[in-house]
Amino acid sequence: VEAREMKLRQLIIGPESPFIGKTLKESGIRSLYSCMVVGLEEGKENLSPVSPTRRFQEGDIIWVVGEQEALDALLNSF
């Protein structure tokens, strides 16, 4: 059994985010950063699943799970 510690982080898509206008797959969050988006808050309302075809918009709040190193790399891309 591997001892891996996963962390949950909240990320806000800001005006300079490279993810604006991209779908979840196009963003590379999973393939490039080894993180998984577990939910999306639209307008600071309820947490909901992310549709694979939905494009990220400024102000979106995404919840991401990953190992600390992977989360750090993802945060540095912002």
Side-chain angles (χ1 to χ4, degrees), residues 5 7 9 13 15 23 34 39 42 52 56-58 62 65 70-71 77-78:
E5 185 176 342
K7 301 205 180 236
R9 292 287 182 262
I13 305 292
T23 64
S34 301
E42 298 175 271
F56 290 118
Q57 303 170 22
E58 181 180 347
I62 57 174
V65 172
L71 289 168
S77 73
F78 274 65

Side-chain angles (χ1 to χ4, degrees), residues 24-40:
L24 186 57
K25 184 176 182 178
E26 292 168 344
S27 72
I29 292 173
R30 178 176 240 164
S31 60
L32 298 175
Y33 300 102
S34 301
C35 294
M36 180 174 31
V37 175
V38 294
L40 169 73

